[in-house]
Amino acid sequence: MHQYSKKYSENLPVGSLGLIPLKGCQALGASVNDYLVRWRMERSHKHIGNLALLGYQRDSYIIDAEVPRFGSGEAKGIINESVRGDDLYLMVDVGNYSLTYSLCGHQNHMSPDDHYQDLKRVIAAVGGKAKRISVIMPFLYESRQHKRNGRESLDCAIALQELVNMGVDNIITFDAHDPRVQNAIPLHSFETVQPAYQFIKGLLRTEKELKIDSSHMMIISPDEGGTNRAVYLANVLGLDIGMFYKRRDYTRIVNGRNPIVAHEFLGSSVEGKDMIIIDDMISSGDSMLEVATELKKRKANKIFLASTFGLFTNGLKKFDDAYDKGIFDRILTTNLTYQTPELLQKPYYINCDMSKYIALIIDTLNHDASVSELLNPVERIQKLLKKYRQEQQL
């Protein structure tokens, strides 16, 4: 039973809990559901006879919902059971490109746009009958198009406004590319959650001989945009920080952006130290690998690449080659977005499971309790470090 169970045994839930993992997020949704079922079966709630707790303990909280498609590629959302008065949590992975649908006889891979439209279809199918709707969208839709330079669309801001206009009460995302995008919906609940604890847990579980102090380890931000992320982790672990900034060629545009000419390093000596390079996503992976290469040139010891979302848009071959050359030691990403079977089998890959964390957030919100403690995992990280150091002394 988790530590919050006693606190929740006093609170009445907002409404009957319902979980709708959309297609592409069903494995993560099933794992989250398993935690919720187990915790609530073990919990002795003081109001268990109260009508408000009818259905509090169930075999599953997953609501039967689907989004079938017509032969033309059009679709509709269907809810196959009553959700009246429910506290609904919709989970969507907009980055799951492995799913396909038939479009006039052709196989079409689902894009982020398709997943986002399916989310809106399910919200529309609920038809305003739920008591509250929360959207858990780990990889925030269009979050890379979060600010305007010249005549450009602001896709993420528009999407957030669309969701709240459809009746969504809470939007929960992980490691948003730029959290300031929530300024588009200033009167509504928007949480961006950091998986720092899960990264440290995954790393310490796998690597048993790390010395976590400023003499032996550093946190590296691969660019200026991710500095806050690196500063937080460095402060919690008591480490120094180093930063690269990207020198770009602003006279050319390649694949929609100005190409990077060089990565320039700011920070103290990295010689002989272990490096944790942390970023929000690995897209093609070029930046991460170039930074790792630069650190190796400066005689860094072990190098760990940690990223919330491992997209690997250009495949894994360049990572295999870099690993064989000793450029990095481990890659840590979460299961918040689609992971290929090939990735999960790589000897250098550490999968950081986020399902328990998501289940905690859902359980907390359903009981109308504060999630502040969950969003700042400093105490849990310190406990983890203490235990790790004690085990090393044995």
Side-chain angles (χ1 to χ4, degrees):
M1 195 182 302
H2 68 83
Q3 60 182 318
Y4 300 99
S5 275
K6 189 176 180 185
K7 183 167 68 175
Y8 298 158
S9 64
E10 306 290 322
N11 294 13
L12 284 172
V14 171
S16 183
L17 178 59
L19 195 61
I20 304 180
L22 272 76
K23 197 176 176 185
C25 206
Q26 287 165 332
L28 182 62
S31 186
V32 168
N33 180 62
D34 290 342
Y35 278 110
L36 291 167
V37 168
R38 191 170 82 241
W39 291 339
R40 294 195 174 198
M41 287 296 183
E42 292 170 349
R43 189 176 294 153
S44 301
H45 203 292
K46 67 179 284 190
H47 301 290
I48 203 67
N50 193 313
L51 275 175
L53 284 186
L54 199 64
Y56 184 77
Q57 296 176 327
R58 299 207 301 271
D59 292 334
S60 176
Y61 298 98
I62 293 177
I63 303 291
D64 184 11
E66 57 184 321
V67 186
R69 287 187 180 269
F70 302 99
S72 59
E74 297 165 289
K76 61 180 176 180
I78 305 173
I79 306 284
N80 292 313
E81 58 185 279
S82 173
V83 292
R84 187 176 293 276
D86 284 2
D87 184 22
L88 291 183
Y89 294 83
L90 279 62
M91 296 174 63
V92 58
D93 175 14
V94 299
N96 193 333
Y97 59 88
S98 70
L99 302 176
T100 59
Y101 61 91
S102 178
L103 176 61
C104 299
H106 301 284
Q107 282 297 101
N108 208 33
H109 281 266
M110 286 185 73
S111 71
D113 295 337
D114 292 316
H115 287 291
Y116 176 62
Q117 290 301 327
D118 281 359
L119 171 66
K120 291 199 294 182
R121 288 175 180 121
V122 172
I123 295 169
V126 170
K129 301 299 186 287
K131 187 164 188 180
R132 190 173 69 175
I133 296 176
S134 300
V135 169
I136 298 174
M137 186 187 287
F139 186 76
L140 187 60
Y141 174 69
E142 290 291 351
S143 58
R144 298 179 77 175
Q145 185 49 33
H146 62 282
K147 65 175 185 277
R148 176 176 279 159
N149 293 312
R151 292 282 172 234
E152 293 181 346
S153 57
L154 281 168
D155 298 44
C156 190
I158 291 169
L160 292 176
Q161 290 179 350
E162 270 189 322
L163 291 176
V164 299
N165 287 338
M166 291 184 79
V168 172
D169 297 277
N170 300 309
I171 297 170
I172 299 149
T173 188
F174 285 77
D175 208 351
H177 193 61
D178 187 339
R180 289 174 295 184
V181 76
Q182 67 188 286
N183 292 345
I185 49 167
L187 301 180
H188 293 82
S189 173
F190 177 98
E191 300 290 354
T192 176
V193 186
Q194 295 291 336
Y197 172 75
Q198 284 76 15
F199 282 148
I200 301 305
K201 186 178 178 182
L203 185 61
L204 300 189
R205 190 180 63 234
T206 311
E207 299 283 329
K208 296 299 182 185
E209 297 180 359
L210 297 176
K211 289 187 170 59
I212 303 170
D213 58 54
S214 56
S215 302
H216 297 91
M217 187 177 275
M218 274 179 80
I219 303 293
I220 304 293
S221 175
D223 55 39
E224 60 277 20
T227 311
N228 287 346
R229 194 179 293 108
V231 167
Y232 174 81
L233 199 56
N235 286 339
V236 172
L237 298 177
L239 306 178
D240 289 335
I241 183 175
M243 188 196 93
F244 282 84
Y245 70 90
K246 296 170 182 172
R247 196 144 51 82
R248 294 181 181 272
D249 179 359
Y250 286 101
T251 63
R252 297 185 299 137
I253 294 177
V254 179
N255 294 330
R257 59 183 182 176
N258 302 106
I260 298 163
V261 178
H263 288 84
E264 305 289 357
F265 182 66
L266 302 172
S268 58
S269 171
V270 303
E271 187 172 348
K273 295 179 184 175
D274 297 327
M275 304 282 119
I276 300 176
I277 307 172
I278 187 158
D279 207 356
D280 61 331
M281 70 177 76
I282 295 174
S283 185
S284 65
D286 290 339
S287 290
M288 276 283 209
L289 292 178
E290 283 169 25
V291 164
T293 304
E294 289 295 324
L295 290 170
K296 277 295 180 187
K297 285 179 188 173
R298 291 167 171 81
K299 300 181 181 176
N301 189 29
K302 288 190 172 183
I303 293 182
F304 307 107
L305 311 180
S307 182
T308 309
F309 304 105
L311 307 181
F312 303 104
T313 54
N314 293 350
L316 294 168
K317 187 175 186 313
K318 67 178 76 171
F319 290 93
D320 294 342
D321 294 342
Y323 178 68
D324 292 339
K325 290 174 186 171
I327 289 170
F328 71 90
D329 293 81
R330 299 279 187 178
I331 292 179
L332 300 95
T333 72
T334 69
N335 60 339
L336 293 172
T337 193
Y338 173 64
Q339 300 159 298
T340 62
E342 183 191 3
L343 174 67
L344 293 169
Q345 291 169 2
K346 293 296 179 188
Y348 51 76
Y349 182 64
I350 299 173
N351 177 26
C352 301
D353 182 18
M354 299 297 293
S355 52
K356 185 177 182 181
Y357 197 17
I358 293 172
L360 271 172
I361 291 169
I362 290 173
D363 205 19
T364 305
L365 288 173
N366 182 239
H367 286 90
D368 214 17
S370 171
V371 292
S372 300
E373 200 178 330
L374 286 174
L375 299 182
N376 191 6
V378 175
E379 276 186 40
R380 284 179 293 154
I381 290 174
Q382 293 303 328
K383 276 186 193 173
L384 206 60
L385 288 177
K386 187 178 176 184
K387 184 182 174 187
Y388 182 74
R389 285 167 178 149
Q390 286 171 346
E391 286 171 356
Q392 284 183 323
Q393 289 169 359
L394 294 175

